[in-house]
Amino acid sequence: MNRRTLLKSGCFVAAASLIPPTILGKTLAKKEISAGRQPAGFRKLKLGELDLFVLSDGYIRDTNVADYSPRADVARLKSILKNNFRPVEYIDMAMNILLVKTNDKLILFDSGMGIFADANTGKILKSLAEAGFSPSEITDIFISHAHPDHIGGLIGKNGTLIYPNAKHHLSKTEFDFWMRATEKDFQNSGLIKQLDFLKTLLPAIRNILTKIQSKISYYDYQKPLYGNFSFISAPGHTPGMTLVKITSGNDELLVVADLVHNDLILFPHPEWGFSGDTDLDIAIASRKKILNQLAETKTRIIGYHLPWPGLGYVKKTGDGLAWVQEVFYTPT
């Protein structure tokens, strides 16, 4: 399903103050899932004394490969996909949502596609239930940034809060940007080619942020929260995108959100950018800086859109960087 179709779709028109089932600037296929197949589920992990659960919200299928990375050589991009036995007609992106259980907190990292879900997304509540939790038990939500696939699950289609007891954490820079943003703020973005989309996107995001505003607490980048969580600014993909470092004992995990969207393309070629970046130059600079730091420090990370369950490491290669997926030998 392409953006033109989305703009004409019934659900898009009916939800004029919302947003269509798409990640920011990305094309989703409305391809139905085969009978009985539901891309929901979870994986449980330990990080020091903390219990971690990676919850699936499904996956996004982008059929607009030519625009995936605005500064890429498309032939080279497709060659990378083909040489790694991936389709060249589309790029799939996982949706890995982290849940962390401390002694007295149950913290969700972003909320998935929610009200904008298509057949392949919107599985977070099912995954949460399979992990043994209910929305009312969530105490906090760490929102990395305000793109639809990260905040769409915060409210229901009737506008009510999905997580009524949770404090919603967000960057003040991020909140302020989306509450005042216009098309002029996307002059250095691939999204500038999609003005009709932007004109519907911006009020949709503002609608959700307005609904959760009374629940929002802004990140303090200078001090940890709850003893285990510290926050790192990573501007560019959006102005206030925030990464979260989780520590417990000697263990550490960095939640990199949308720093990278694909395991094959943006690690070796961060300079190609991503179509949903608000400012390509700033996003590329952030990616290069942080990815190189991660390779130097050998820090374990989890990525929102990297192949399930999104855990692994960045390593230096002869001519750049590469993703090393963490290997698991049992289903759960």
Side-chain angles (χ1 to χ4, degrees):
M1 189 176 191
N2 60 37
R3 284 187 285 269
R4 291 185 183 91
T5 305
L6 285 169
L7 287 167
K8 297 176 181 177
S9 70
C11 72
F12 188 90
V13 174
S17 63
L18 299 174
I19 188 173
T22 176
I23 186 173
L24 182 65
K26 302 309 297 172
T27 303
L28 298 187
K30 288 291 284 184
K31 183 177 179 181
E32 293 298 326
I33 333 175
S34 58
R37 177 170 169 249
Q38 293 294 320
F42 73 97
R43 170 169 281 280
K44 185 176 181 180
L45 310 158
K46 289 291 291 186
L47 187 79
E49 297 300 315
L50 304 177
D51 290 323
L52 275 57
F53 303 81
V54 184
L55 310 174
S56 176
D57 193 46
Y59 68 95
I60 293 167
R61 175 159 293 179
D62 182 3
T63 57
N64 191 8
V65 176
D67 291 333
Y68 189 85
S69 288
R71 296 180 179 174
D73 178 318
V74 177
R76 287 182 64 195
L77 186 152
K78 289 186 175 182
S79 177
I80 291 171
L81 294 173
K82 183 177 180 180
N83 290 340
N84 286 275
F85 307 98
R86 302 283 178 88
V88 297
E89 299 83 12
Y90 60 84
I91 296 173
D92 285 344
M93 294 174 283
M95 296 185 69
N96 309 312
I97 298 177
L98 188 64
L99 180 72
V100 177
K101 186 177 185 297
T102 72
N103 287 334
D104 59 351
K105 301 290 181 183
L106 190 61
I107 303 170
L108 192 67
F109 287 66
D110 292 320
S111 68
M113 197 70 80
I115 56 176
F116 315 126
D118 68 350
N120 298 326
T121 59
K123 314 303 177 185
I124 179 61
L125 294 180
K126 185 175 187 296
S127 298
L128 184 67
E130 289 185 7
F133 303 101
S134 67
S136 62
E137 294 178 89
I138 303 298
T139 61
D140 299 80
I141 303 172
F142 291 164
I143 302 167
S144 64
H145 62 296
H147 277 174
D149 57 318
H150 295 258
I151 65 171
L154 295 177
I155 66 172
K157 290 185 177 179
N158 60 359
T160 59
L161 297 178
I162 297 296
Y163 305 98
N165 300 318
K167 183 181 291 186
H168 294 49
H169 303 259
L170 181 68
S171 158
K172 189 174 190 306
T173 297
E174 187 78 355
F175 180 86
D176 290 345
F177 172 79
W178 290 107
M179 293 302 285
R180 61 155 180 81
T182 69
E183 300 88 73
K184 294 179 180 179
D185 292 302
F186 295 85
Q187 295 299 315
N188 199 28
S189 171
L191 293 169
I192 197 62
K193 299 178 181 178
Q194 303 293 333
L195 288 179
D196 287 342
F197 180 73
L198 276 175
K199 287 176 182 177
T200 307
L201 170 76
L202 298 177
I205 292 175
R206 279 194 288 272
N207 176 70
I208 295 177
L209 294 180
T210 300
K211 290 285 196 302
I212 68 169
Q213 187 169 7
S214 65
K215 294 280 190 175
I216 290 178
S217 176
Y218 296 122
Y219 292 128
D220 184 342
Y221 295 97
Q222 304 305 314
K223 61 181 181 180
L225 183 66
Y226 304 145
N228 300 105
F229 308 97
S230 56
F231 308 100
I232 301 166
S233 175
H237 182 58
T238 66
M241 190 172 79
T242 299
L243 316 186
V244 184
K245 183 168 72 173
I246 309 172
T247 56
S248 179
N250 295 322
D251 292 342
E252 180 178 298
L253 178 69
L254 185 66
V255 184
V256 300
D258 281 15
L259 186 70
V260 282
H261 295 74
N262 180 273
D263 57 318
L264 297 176
I265 297 169
L266 289 177
F267 286 97
H269 293 289
E271 75 278 5
W272 284 358
F274 179 69
S275 63
D277 290 341
T278 301
D279 187 305
L280 282 162
D281 290 332
I282 298 174
I284 288 167
S286 286
R287 284 194 187 98
K288 286 181 176 180
K289 176 184 176 182
I290 295 172
L291 289 178
N292 276 286
Q293 288 175 343
L294 294 172
E296 290 283 353
T297 58
K298 298 179 173 60
T299 300
R300 186 189 191 197
I301 70 172
I302 180 170
Y304 196 82
H305 293 299
L306 293 174
W308 170 262
L311 290 155
Y313 300 84
V314 186
K315 75 170 183 178
K316 290 193 173 184
T317 62
D319 55 355
L321 300 169
W323 171 243
V324 180
Q325 183 89 6
E326 187 167 339
V327 177
F328 297 93
Y329 296 96
T330 59
T332 57

